[in-house]
């Protein structure tokens, strides 16, 4: 389905069932992202290349925003509030200007898996596909990364993402697990701002023999 190592990890039955449920809902509603982009995060970041996992809730639910990468939007599109807050914290943390574009593909290409706990959403209805089965798929993604020996940092934003912390911690290999409030304006002031996740991740990677992530391009 993906074309790389994830095909050996994803639970085929659960993945196809969730995809079928999303497509069924798409017969009567607009569903994001487009079918060809649902697995974009997994295609861009194979399991053996993953060094960071940023886990969000579900895709953006307004037209043109969702591209299959958590928190990312296509180049040239206005930044959604959550991404604006992420960039604000990035500037505070690293003391460098944030990227001008909201397209985070360059993070994914460095081994940052930009994944949501739920991979599809109905237009205008946040978390509307929470119950169709995607979280079982996400569970296997997180569990599957555990078998790979490279150091991996997990950044789990929001209550829904934070529930995967115990699964991420199962690995015997070097792991950093950071949990915190979602960067949404509704929760960012409850501990997201000032959490300095980007420098913490780079410190973890370099201490374990890995190159740091270039967050600012």
């Amino acid at each position: 389905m993906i074309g790389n190592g994830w095909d050996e990890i994803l639970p085929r039955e659960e993945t196809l069932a969730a995809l079928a449920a999303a497509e069924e809902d798409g017969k009567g509603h607009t569903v994001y992202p487009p079918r060809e982009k649902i697995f974009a995060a997994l295609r861009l970041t194979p399991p053996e290349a993953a060094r960071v996992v940023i886990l969000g809730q579900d895709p953006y639910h307004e037209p043109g925003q969702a591209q299959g990468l958590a928190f990312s939007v296509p180049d040239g599109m206005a930044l959604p509030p959550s991404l604006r807050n992420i960039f604000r914290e990035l500037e505070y943390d690293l003391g460098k200007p944030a990227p001008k574009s909201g397209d985070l593909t360059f993070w994914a290409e460095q081994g940052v898996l930009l994944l949501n706990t739920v991979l599809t959403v109905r237009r205008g209805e946040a978390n509307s596909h929470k119950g169709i089965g995607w979280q079982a798929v996400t569970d296997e993604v997180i569990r599957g990364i555990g078998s790979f020996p490279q150091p991996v940092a997990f950044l789990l934003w929001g209550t829904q993402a934070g529930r995967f912390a115990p699964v991420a911690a199962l690995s015997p290999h070097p792991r950093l697990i950071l949990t915190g409030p979602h960067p949404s304006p509704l929760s960012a002031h409850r501990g997201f701002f000032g959490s300095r996740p980007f420098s913490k991740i780079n410190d973890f990677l370099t201490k374990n023999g890995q190159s740091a992530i270039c967050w600012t391009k």
Side-chain angles (χ1 to χ4, degrees):
M1 288 183 289
I2 309 302
N4 58 27
W6 290 116
D7 286 333
E8 302 300 318
I9 293 172
L10 289 182
R12 185 172 180 83
E13 183 176 340
E14 290 86 346
T15 303
L16 291 176
L19 187 59
E23 291 182 337
E24 182 65 27
D25 192 45
K27 293 178 181 179
H29 305 87
T30 300
V31 170
Y32 300 130
R35 190 182 194 279
E36 67 274 11
K37 295 183 179 180
I38 290 174
F39 300 111
L42 300 177
R43 290 195 177 100
L44 281 171
T45 310
E48 68 276 8
R51 300 189 293 141
V52 180
V53 178
I54 295 181
L55 193 60
Q57 178 177 284
D58 64 338
Y60 295 123
H61 52 79
E62 296 301 330
Q65 294 180 323
Q67 57 177 172
L69 304 176
F71 299 107
S72 180
V73 292
D75 187 36
M77 177 160 284
L79 302 184
S82 292
L83 186 54
R84 285 203 304 269
N85 286 340
I86 290 171
F87 282 179
R88 175 180 166 184
E89 177 61 21
L90 187 154
E91 290 183 341
Y92 168 78
D93 187 1
L94 302 181
K96 298 179 180 180
K100 294 182 179 179
S101 170
D103 187 347
L104 303 180
T105 300
F106 77 103
W107 287 6
E109 292 171 342
Q110 296 178 75
V112 181
L113 179 62
L114 295 164
L115 190 68
N116 283 306
T117 64
V118 174
L119 300 188
T120 57
V121 68
R122 185 185 292 180
R123 176 176 177 171
E125 300 181 38
N127 226 12
S128 49
H129 283 184
K130 179 181 178 181
I132 71 171
W134 284 123
Q135 289 169 323
V137 178
T138 305
D139 185 86
E140 289 303 311
V141 168
I142 302 301
R143 198 177 300 273
I145 290 175
S147 65
F148 286 81
Q150 72 268 20
V152 181
F154 290 85
L155 184 50
L156 312 178
W157 278 329
T159 301
Q160 200 161 297
R163 294 194 181 103
F164 291 87
V167 179
L170 291 174
S171 176
H173 306 295
R175 297 294 184 258
L176 173 68
I177 301 172
L178 302 175
T179 61
H182 193 278
S184 161
L186 297 175
S187 55
H189 290 281
R190 300 174 189 165
F192 171 79
F193 289 127
S195 59
R196 310 195 74 151
F198 306 100
S199 60
K200 290 177 182 176
I201 289 172
N202 278 351
D203 286 347
F204 164 78
L205 291 174
T206 55
K207 286 177 181 176
N208 284 278
Q210 296 283 310
S211 59
I213 301 296
C214 178
W215 300 105
T216 58
K217 208 170 184 177

